[in-house]
Amino acid sequence: MEAEKKPILTNHYYEIAGLQLELRFPSTLNLDNVLSSFVGFRKDRGDGTSVAVVTFKEEEVPSEEEWGALRSDISLVWGDNFRFYEQEGAFVTLIKHNVKDKQWMMKSTKDFRESVLYGKSEDPRMGEFVSWLLMVVFGQVGLQHQLILIHASVIAYKNKQGVAFLGKSGTGKSTHSRLWLQHIPNTELLNDDNPVVRLEEDGKVMIYGTPWSGKTPCYKDKRVELKGFVRLEQAPLNRFTRKKGMEGLIAVLPSCTALRWNKDLFNAMTDTLSQLVDRVNVGHLECLPDADAAKMSHKALFYEKNSDEVVA
């Protein structure tokens, strides 16, 4: 019997927030169609410095006894969409799916620099699932480069500075961004769900667009300097309160992507975050979903920098 031929793999390169991601997928797949949100981040060739390499295998997901010890995590970023497992020398990420033959799994080294994806290319949700798993890889490997993937809606003001609106799902992050777009001139949406914040070598804090933007198709390969984080809370009034030191860190921490049981990467994240909040504004905005709320946060960040509290 003739041995089954192994598929020919093609290398694909993407640059996100200055880091190169390398994907190895069968040459028969049109990866631009599979990962349409990644097209704007594609590089024609790699420069030899990929921070993570991800290889796709057209195989059934290994059996449950091979997954390892459950280390599940529920987060603002990923919700309850994943199951995380730990093996000796590896982590396993499983997308939560009730239909076993539709499952997708990823096995990664503990630093997430090498990963293997298991799934079926005929799955109509392949692009969505691969994108999710790549977000896990990038979010973790980025922590080793003073980069944090955050759950936020971000606007760019005057094409120079960004503001990241934080909060639980349903708090009004996207709504507040839209209010800026409608009422604050020279504003554009940079990302509506999962931007990246990076502490650069020169000490500047930059915020980047990514291929992950939730339900809003906003996939911009663009960066601006981060002006501030604003945590939103629905309220019967508009009030902006500045947060400093530990209060600032606590305000931003829940929106950061890190596996809390992976101590090395979690510690890397908190170390970077403590430096970020020392360099940029952090505010808590109690607000109504109205134009005055947007005008207040704009005023507090750009014109009343020394005021600890601004009230409408």
Side-chain angles (χ1 to χ4, degrees), residues 148 249 252-253 256 268-278:
I148 303 175
L249 189 146
V252 180
L253 180 61
C256 297
M269 186 269 287
T270 54
D271 179 65
T272 298
L273 182 59
S274 65
Q275 296 180 67
L276 295 180
V277 298
D278 282 343

Side-chain angles (χ1 to χ4, degrees), residues 114-158:
E114 294 183 20
S115 298
V116 177
L117 302 185
Y118 297 88
K120 294 292 185 177
S121 59
E122 68 266 21
D123 189 333
R125 297 183 68 186
M126 177 183 182
E128 179 183 357
F129 291 157
V130 171
S131 179
W132 283 1
L133 291 169
L134 293 178
M135 181 167 61
V136 173
V137 169
F138 190 81
Q140 299 313 298
V141 80
L143 297 173
Q144 299 158 70
H145 298 272
Q146 293 193 298
L147 176 157
I148 303 175
L149 184 70
I150 64 171
H151 183 47
S153 182
V154 182
I155 58 87
Y157 178 59
K158 293 186 176 180

